[in-house]
Amino acid sequence: MRTLTQAPHSAGELFRLVRTGQARSRADLARLTGLSPSTVALRVEELVAHGYVEEVGHGESSGGRRPRALGVRADESVVAGVDLGESHATIALLDRRGEIVASTVDSVTLLDGVRSVVVQVWESIVRLAEQHGGVRVEGIAMSLPGPVDARTSRLLAPMRMPGWNGVDVGEVLGSVTGLPFLIDNDANAMAVGEYVERGGVHEQLVFVKAGSGIGCGIVVDGSVYRGFRGVAGDISHVALHGAPPVSCSCGRVGCLDVVASGTAIVDALKEAGEPIDSLEQVLELAQNAHPKATGLLREAGARTGEVLATIINFFNPQALIVGGRLATADAFVAGIRQALFTLCLPMSTDTLEIEVSRAGVLAGARGVGWELLDSILDPARIDAALRIA
């Protein structure tokens, strides 16, 4: 997820190898870069002196003295990762290692408008930082429940976000906070959060976010694939064959979001006469073996699996991760599995890992915060800071 080009083997590049876990000692750095041990030592000492790297004990010996292990220094600053939903904002403070040091969930309503929501979220971040010893916030990143133009940070025709269409949320975020910022789609952020949570072992990963709406994020060779405008993976408006003719905000009928999302399931149960008004109530009914709720969840999973089958056949990832509130329903996940194993080529699924998110509710906040750290700690930026110092 690097954004700037940089000459190989600079101090910033050595820092990147430490940060990503590829190198844990000076010896590792020398082996990976081909630099002499003395050159590596000089550059590491420079990183140590400026607070980017620290010694964190000793590594394993391969004969002789045990090497001194290197790690990213946490520093006293944090970045704030915010996963904005229709009715909540999940906030996480991440240190420079990418570890979450504090988190909270606040109630918000998108109907209040962009600036009002951003101000409310920023006030929560300031309070959380004060409660955590007054740490300095050096940047803020926010994931949004709608398509985001990767070039402009503007929302592109989001569903269930009246008044937000076409708004440059990044500009608002920057003007309110005065900090470096980053904006991304929520499914992309969750995909990154899951990738980081799993230690980067799945270089090819598909993450489906299934809650009140449905979205998808794709990780290719360890980086999010966004496409030309940033809407790659947006499966919510894929029209399903044989689906009920339910009208969608895009002007068509039978789109995945209006057929298989949590909102669609709630609406279907209401029409069936069930006195419910939230997805949480649907999930509670399913836990108590309510036949209609369980059946709708399984059908929604199967519909979602129909769309994902094409992605799995085309992309051939190592893992498909299901996140969001619908991922807590066994019937929904079972429906996805059934569709994939029915519709996909065996060679696409025989080693495919299909799992529920490990990062859970913090996936989006962790992921978008990690993306911002990637930008702030880019090797070229570090080298520039060292030159100025």
Side-chain angles (χ1 to χ4, degrees), residues 25-321:
S25 67
R26 292 169 176 81
D28 287 343
L29 290 170
R31 174 177 54 81
L32 290 169
T33 63
L35 295 173
S36 68
S38 60
T39 300
V40 167
L42 286 172
R43 292 180 181 170
V44 168
E45 290 309 311
E46 189 177 18
L47 290 169
V48 170
H50 289 85
Y52 289 107
V53 168
E54 64 182 354
E55 294 180 347
V56 290
H58 290 83
E60 294 295 325
S61 172
S62 57
R65 290 189 305 171
R66 295 169 61 195
R68 287 176 292 177
L70 300 173
V72 175
R73 182 177 176 182
D75 199 11
E76 296 179 355
S77 63
V78 296
V79 297
V82 182
D83 179 27
L84 187 64
E86 289 185 44
S87 59
H88 72 278
T90 302
I91 301 169
L93 302 182
L94 290 76
D95 64 22
R96 285 193 167 183
R97 298 187 184 117
E99 296 175 356
I100 295 176
V101 298
S103 65
T104 187
V105 179
D106 282 358
S107 295
V108 300
T109 172
L110 300 183
L111 297 176
D112 286 343
V114 180
R115 180 166 289 273
S116 177
V117 170
V118 168
V119 168
Q120 181 181 340
V121 168
W122 175 236
E123 290 173 348
S124 296
I125 290 170
V126 171
R127 285 195 301 271
L128 188 61
E130 290 174 349
Q131 293 166 5
H132 195 69
V135 291
R136 178 175 65 89
V137 180
E138 63 175 337
I140 179 170
M142 180 178 286
S143 67
L144 304 172
V148 175
D149 191 322
R151 304 168 304 173
T152 65
S153 77
R154 293 182 184 274
L155 277 161
L156 302 172
M159 298 178 67
R160 310 181 189 96
M161 298 181 74
W164 291 64
N165 183 37
V167 176
D168 186 342
V169 182
E171 182 181 30
V172 178
L173 201 60
S175 67
V176 169
T177 66
L179 297 175
F181 61 84
L182 183 144
I183 300 294
D184 204 353
N185 165 259
D186 58 356
N188 285 343
M190 289 179 178
V192 175
E194 196 66 32
Y195 173 79
V196 173
E197 178 73 19
R198 292 167 180 263
V201 297
H202 297 101
E203 289 279 301
Q204 324 297 330
L205 178 148
V206 171
F207 185 98
V208 58
K209 176 249 181 183
S212 56
I214 296 180
C216 182
I218 302 171
V219 172
V220 180
D221 295 335
S223 298
V224 172
Y225 179 74
R226 292 185 171 83
F228 175 60
R229 293 194 68 185
V231 296
D234 186 357
I235 62 175
S236 57
H237 295 291
V238 175
L240 297 168
H241 177 71
V246 182
S247 297
C248 180
S249 64
C250 71
R252 297 183 296 174
V253 297
C255 291
L256 179 65
D257 193 272
V258 295
V259 172
S261 67
T263 300
I265 296 171
V266 170
D267 291 343
L269 277 173
K270 282 183 178 179
E271 291 178 6
E274 291 294 334
I276 65 165
D277 55 18
S278 70
L279 180 54
E280 283 68 28
Q281 290 174 301
V282 175
L283 298 174
E284 185 177 351
L285 288 174
Q287 287 178 345
N288 291 310
H290 187 284
K292 183 66 174 178
T294 302
L296 285 171
L297 284 165
R298 180 178 285 274
E299 181 181 354
R303 289 292 194 181
T304 303
E306 288 180 37
V307 176
L308 291 173
T310 300
I311 295 174
I312 298 302
N313 278 332
F314 175 78
F315 177 45
N316 186 212
Q318 296 167 266
L320 169 67
I321 312 300

